Amino acid sequence: MYKTKFKIKAKHLSKSVIFCGTLFASHLASSEVISSIHPIGFITEALTQNVTEHSILAPVTASPHDYTMRPSDAKALKEAELIIWVGEDLEVFMAKPISNIESTKQLNLSEIPEIKTIIDDKVALSENTIVEHEHEHEHEKHDVNEHAGHNHDRDLHIWMSPEISRIAAKAIAQRLTELHPNQSNIVNDNLAQFLTDLDKTEVELADKLSSVSQKPYFVFHDAYGYFESRFNLNRVGEFTINPTITPGVQQLAKIKETIKKDGVVCIFKEPQFTPAVVNAVVQGTGVKIGELDPVGANIQLSKNSYQEYLKSLADSYLSCLE
Ligand SMILES: [Zn+2]
């Protein structure tokens, strides 16, 4: 126990000496467990309480789709005892640095068999939908994915799914127990609390959101699928599959058509991407503009972050759809 403490202190010390006099000291300097992005950190944070230190690699304002790592990030990854991430189809920025890190020191959530099955089932489901609407949409989807340079057919916005988050939490707890066997009781308590709170939150949100389940809306980027299908929301389309690519003229015309035809009541923009296209499409239509934050930049890290995030998402839907 004392030995461990001393080691951590010594580590802090040597780092502050190295960074002394510079403004570039990493916010990750003392981390033990690292989550790749903010919303994954919500889950990890609940489990590391009173067990070990935890930090998040990408800044809160970053989108996993276009974040570029800083040199200090690579260093932090190398020193971490455990890295929790989603997978390289989502976090392109992680692909290279993580390839040099032993598999025992990382947990790729999208590769956990139970989670992988849920992701693949969703792909199969959306492929069926594409076949049904082949003439309308297939070419479009194909083009967008080609330009994106990586596979966006698999929906890796897995933190939108309470079901997946439960599995992820159990897997994270398992790894923490292996790393800190003396604290396994605390880890188990943290996990039990997380699961109980999540059950409660899910019931609460299902009740709240049932009042708007028929309201048609558009999102800016296709990130909310798991949340929408869990709570039976009625998204009729999105501006883009990859948020770094804005839709072209033809696609915008089609979006305008759908908005009219389906009686869309709200279009959700995102704080990370504020595209003029949303305003242009809405102008003169009376359609409301709402905001959804796929990474929960305003949510403070605490043991309740994940539940708070789900609640804030629900509130964002409600405030525009009600
Ligand atoms: Zn996304």
Side-chain angles (χ1 to χ4, degrees), residues 137-157:
H137 298 301
E138 197 190 36
H139 183 67
E140 231 169 73
K141 282 217 167 187
H142 176 73
D143 273 352
V144 168
N145 283 325
E146 220 168 58
H147 290 293
H150 58 270
N151 182 6
H152 264 78
D153 288 339
R154 299 181 81 226
D155 185 352
L156 291 192
H157 304 87

Side-chain angles (χ1 to χ4, degrees), residues 63-65 90 152 155-157 159-160 221-224 240-243 270 273 294-295:
S63 162
H65 295 289
L90 180 85
H152 264 78
D155 185 352
L156 291 192
H157 304 87
W159 60 94
M160 297 288 171
H221 105 273
D222 187 9
Y224 313 92
T240 178
I241 291 174
N242 182 329
E270 294 177 3
F273 301 92
V295 296

Side-chain angles (χ1 to χ4, degrees), residues 44-61:
T44 311
E45 181 72 15
L47 300 160
T48 52
Q49 295 287 314
N50 303 319
V51 177
T52 184
E53 288 179 71
H54 167 233
S55 303
I56 298 169
L57 194 73
V60 285
T61 49

Side-chain angles (χ1 to χ4, degrees), residues 148-197:
H150 58 270
N151 182 6
H152 264 78
D153 288 339
R154 299 181 81 226
D155 185 352
L156 291 192
H157 304 87
I158 54 174
W159 60 94
M160 297 288 171
S161 161
E163 185 191 5
I164 292 179
S165 298
R166 259 186 211 99
I167 303 166
K170 286 174 195 165
I172 295 168
Q174 173 68 37
R175 297 293 287 270
L176 287 176
T177 305
E178 286 161 19
L179 286 166
H180 302 276
N182 293 338
Q183 283 149 295
S184 64
N185 282 345
I186 306 175
V187 177
N188 287 339
D189 287 351
N190 288 347
L191 176 63
Q193 188 68 54
F194 178 84
L195 297 174
T196 309
D197 291 348

